[in-house]
Amino acid sequence: MQPETTTESSKTPPKEIIRLVDVHKHFGDLVVLDGITVGLRAGQTTVIIGESGSGKSVILKHIIRLLRPTRGEVHYQDQRIDLLPEAELAPIRARFGFLFQLSALFDSMTVGQNIAFPIHELTRRSHSEIEEDVKRKLALVGLDGTQNMWPAELSGGQMKRVALARAIALDPEIILYDEPTTGLDPPRADVINELIIKLQRELGVTSVVVTHDMASAGKVSDRVLMLYRGKFIFDGTPEEILRSEDQRVRCFVEGHCYEEDRRTL
Amino acid sequence: MITAIGSKTVSSVSALGRIGIFSWQMFRWLVPGLFQWRTWTRAMPLFYEVGNRTLPVILITGTFVGLVLAIQSYDQLRAAGFEDRMGVLVTLSLVKELGPVLAGIMVAGRVGGALTAELGTMRVTEQISALRVMGTDPIRQLVVPRFLACLLLTPLLTFFCDLCGSLAGWFIAVVLKGIPSQAYWYYVADAVETWDVSVGFGKSIVFGGGIALIACYKGFFCRTGAEGVGRACTESFVASFIMILVTDFFIGTLFTGLYVGIYGFKSLV
Ligand SMILES: Nc1ncnc2c1ncn2[C@@H]1O[C@H](COP(=O)(O)OP(=O)(O)OP(=O)(O)O)[C@@H](O)[C@H]1O
Ligand SMILES: [Mg+2]
């Protein structure tokens, strides 16, 4: 099975800002990524879909070097980042925003402090400027006024939105979203979709979105990748995926269960 | 059987290696951090936390150990005609051994476990990864201030433990058994030297730093899930406990040998 995932950089003008080259990731005996090669172009929104446990979060964590490949290479622009020591990663990571699947808000800090944290750590802005930034970012996700609440007092969906505000606090060039709309009510989820689109249009942000939400995928993406058993089995536009003949892709898109799973029931 | 022992040995040696690397990384941030205001502002709340959690138990422990030592030794000392010197026994045991060890164990139980749980939860909920993503070193951010708090507060707590114990010994000897207060303190002052006090505090500094490193290490690398955090806490306490007793033995042996080498044997009776 040779998936149609090799890069096509020669014919497309936007530069590939992130490249994974033959990335393998094993956890002990568990093979999660089994040779992934993909280039992500600047200014595009790429959606990664795939069943639960297929390794979508693992891919995002490789892009920001929270994980290192067992074998293979990860490039950011012209730099190979999978070999860099942790200390040299800080300036690169400052260009990224990362929305964690489980939000990962600091529970020893208030909502306001959580969003102020990256600004405080990586810039020299004054107190009042930071306060202003925090207010603006919270307003973007519809939560201005919650600055003094603690993460424990928020609902799961609210935490997710605070985490998103924190991820975009430094106006990153690249944003990695791990299931941004999971756990949100449909109108809220759509606000997040609009936000992703807005950030891309107005600021030229490059986004990678992991999601199970096909409506969201269709709306925000320029390109869809489907991960299945450690490899990409689909790479194309959101229109193409609807026409895909591949049974595994169709099951996912249409929300059917797989034939083999039905039989075991 | 032999392979089991072998693999157990290898894994404990590699665990020691990992904790060594962890400590080295911590020290690399610690030294420049000492001159940064931010380090101290991060550590301040932890000083309060450590002191607040442990001071009450330490005062109680110190007092009761002092009482018990005095009660247990009084009859024997009186039979030998040495009851005036009861203070020597109580105070010296506390200053050299019991104070640092008991304070260490209390810090390990009250603070070490809590630190492991806190950092373990941060690990499991990916807050530690979030710190890395935001370009901050989690060791500098989380471990350095906790290390400083334990390192600097354990000696202080030891001091309070020693103090309570000595006063409790005095209470038994002077108030209950009628030994003259002057004689009691005269012998204490005669027997307890700067050397003993320094070795005692030296130990407590080592214990405090060791507890912080073990607790933070266990939290940082704990397994996922609430069960992983619980297990890490237990392991952290047991490891700290063993570390305290083992280093106590080695430091004790080393410095007793040194003392005899420098000043010669000193009889207390
Ligand atoms: N740090 C880790 N150590 C060991 N195994 C891991 C680790 N991270 C992920 N895994 C394993 O890798 C596999 C893929 O995990 P991942 O979180 O990427 O799934 P996912 O595609 O994001 O799923 P979901 O949609 O449920 O979030 C899982 O089987 C998981 O157990
Ligand atoms: Mg995931």
Side-chain angles (χ1 to χ4, degrees):
Chain A
M1 181 178 63
Q2 193 43 268
E4 55 273 49
T5 55
T6 37
T7 53
E8 353 156 6
S9 51
S10 48
K11 59 178 188 197
T12 38
K15 216 176 134 225
E16 285 185 346
I17 188 164
I18 297 160
R19 274 191 307 130
L20 306 184
V21 182
D22 194 32
V23 169
H24 294 252
K25 182 66 183 177
H26 304 176
F27 292 107
D29 291 333
L30 179 71
V31 178
V32 178
L33 302 181
D34 191 15
I36 277 182
T37 300
V38 68
L40 304 174
R41 283 176 220 104
Q44 284 204 338
T45 300
T46 307
V47 164
I48 301 177
I49 58 173
E51 49 182 14
S52 180
S54 57
K56 305 180 298 295
S57 303
V58 168
I59 294 184
L60 291 190
K61 286 177 189 163
H62 275 84
I63 295 174
I64 200 160
R65 238 299 297 276
L66 281 174
L67 291 174
R68 277 183 154 144
T70 311
R71 199 167 85 228
E73 300 172 7
V74 182
H75 298 258
Y76 166 73
Q77 293 187 338
D78 303 322
Q79 229 174 340
R80 182 164 173 193
I81 58 168
D82 57 304
L83 298 177
L84 284 184
E86 192 79 14
E88 287 173 35
L89 285 164
I92 296 177
R93 283 178 173 156
R95 294 152 175 253
F96 280 83
F98 193 113
L99 172 63
F100 284 85
Q101 186 166 357
L102 297 174
S103 302
L105 295 177
F106 302 123
D107 39 36
S108 58
M109 299 182 193
T110 63
V111 166
Q113 289 166 342
N114 261 284
I115 298 166
F117 183 82
I119 312 176
H120 194 67
E121 285 296 304
L122 294 167
T123 69
R124 302 207 159 270
R125 285 177 215 170
S126 73
H127 232 68
S128 56
E129 283 172 308
I130 293 182
E131 219 165 284
E132 196 49 45
D133 284 335
V134 169
K135 193 174 164 61
R136 253 203 326 274
K137 300 299 177 198
L138 273 175
L140 271 182
V141 296
L143 283 174
D144 185 21
T146 59
Q147 275 89 334
N148 293 323
M149 289 175 79
W150 296 94
E153 298 168 343
L154 302 175
S155 75
Q158 288 174 319
M159 282 194 216
K160 194 122 225 179
R161 288 186 281 150
V162 171
L164 180 56
R166 186 178 68 178
I168 59 176
L170 286 171
D171 301 315
E173 291 167 29
I174 304 164
I175 308 178
L176 311 176
Y177 302 87
D178 200 341
E179 306 198 3
T181 57
T182 307
L184 299 188
D185 56 274
R188 277 292 171 210
D190 204 48
V191 171
I192 302 298
N193 292 336
E194 295 291 347
L195 180 63
I196 296 173
I197 295 169
K198 179 176 147 148
L199 290 170
Q200 184 208 12
R201 296 241 172 91
E202 292 177 9
L203 303 170
V205 168
T206 311
S207 308
V208 184
V209 184
V210 163
T211 188
H212 293 291
D213 176 354
M214 287 310 295
S216 162
K219 186 160 182 179
V220 303
S221 68
D222 299 306
R223 179 185 185 190
V224 181
L225 298 167
M226 177 158 171
L227 186 65
Y228 186 82
R229 308 249 160 107
K231 293 191 190 316
F232 286 130
I233 56 162
F234 178 86
D235 179 0
T237 65
E239 292 78 39
E240 283 164 7
I241 198 167
L242 297 176
R243 297 195 301 267
S244 168
E245 295 291 320
D246 189 316
Q247 197 54 39
R248 298 162 298 181
V249 177
R250 294 188 64 86
C251 283
F252 197 92
V253 172
E254 293 164 9
H256 294 318
C257 71
Y258 295 106
E259 221 15 77
E260 56 181 88
D261 291 339
R262 198 198 318 269
R263 256 179 270 131
T264 58
L265 283 181
Chain B
M1 166 75 174
I2 289 179
T3 43
I5 294 174
S7 74
K8 192 94 192 154
T9 318
V10 169
S11 74
S12 10
V13 169
S14 64
L16 271 183
R18 280 196 303 274
I19 199 166
I21 294 171
F22 184 79
S23 312
W24 166 241
Q25 288 171 331
M26 201 279 308
F27 278 108
R28 282 215 323 218
W29 286 114
L30 176 72
V31 175
L34 290 177
F35 305 101
Q36 286 166 356
W37 185 238
R38 241 183 215 200
T39 312
W40 296 100
T41 54
R42 279 189 204 122
M44 269 313 153
L46 293 156
F47 283 116
Y48 173 76
E49 182 82 12
V50 172
N52 188 38
R53 269 177 179 277
T54 42
L55 192 58
V57 268
I58 295 234
L59 297 185
I60 294 171
T61 317
T63 308
F64 279 89
V65 167
L67 293 175
V68 165
L69 280 176
I71 293 285
Q72 291 282 355
S73 56
Y74 178 74
D75 289 339
Q76 292 296 328
L77 287 174
R78 200 178 60 157
F82 288 135
E83 71 265 36
D84 287 2
R85 306 187 194 215
M86 195 163 86
V88 175
L89 190 138
V90 173
T91 311
L92 211 52
S93 330
L94 275 164
V95 167
K96 281 171 78 171
E97 287 297 334
L98 292 170
V101 168
L102 288 173
I105 288 171
M106 291 303 152
V107 171
R110 294 284 294 168
V111 178
L115 287 185
T116 308
E118 184 190 7
L119 297 189
T121 307
M122 290 188 75
R123 155 110 185 160
V124 170
T125 56
E126 302 200 289
Q127 294 176 50
I128 292 183
S129 300
L131 282 174
R132 286 171 63 199
V133 165
M134 287 177 227
T136 318
D137 192 290
I139 293 187
R140 178 172 71 160
Q141 181 80 23
L142 300 172
V143 182
V144 167
R146 283 163 179 77
F147 178 81
L148 276 176
C150 290
L151 188 82
L152 298 180
L153 276 188
T154 313
L156 190 66
L157 293 163
T158 302
F159 168 76
F160 283 114
C161 188
D162 294 351
L163 186 70
C164 285
S166 309
L167 290 179
W170 173 86
F171 177 79
I172 297 280
V174 176
V175 179
L176 294 187
K177 306 291 183 186
I179 297 168
S181 187
Q182 238 173 349
Y184 183 91
W185 289 124
Y186 169 80
Y187 285 115
V188 169
D190 188 44
V192 180
E193 296 176 43
T194 318
W195 174 273
D196 302 313
V197 177
S198 316
V199 171
F201 282 116
K203 278 180 182 174
S204 67
I205 292 175
V206 173
F207 295 162
I211 291 165
L213 282 173
I214 291 173
C216 292
Y217 170 83
K218 286 286 180 192
F220 251 61
F221 297 103
C222 94
R223 299 226 184 96
T224 48
E227 187 217 324
V229 177
R231 234 171 77 177
C233 289
T234 319
E235 285 175 6
S236 156
F237 177 69
V238 174
S240 297
F241 192 81
I242 293 174
M243 179 277 296
I244 289 170
L245 295 180
V246 172
T247 42
D248 185 52
F249 169 74
F250 284 110
I251 295 178
T253 315
L254 177 70
F255 282 91
T256 310
L258 267 181
Y259 184 92
V260 174
I262 298 171
Y263 305 103
F265 173 73
K266 179 185 170 196
S267 168
L268 293 176
V269 287

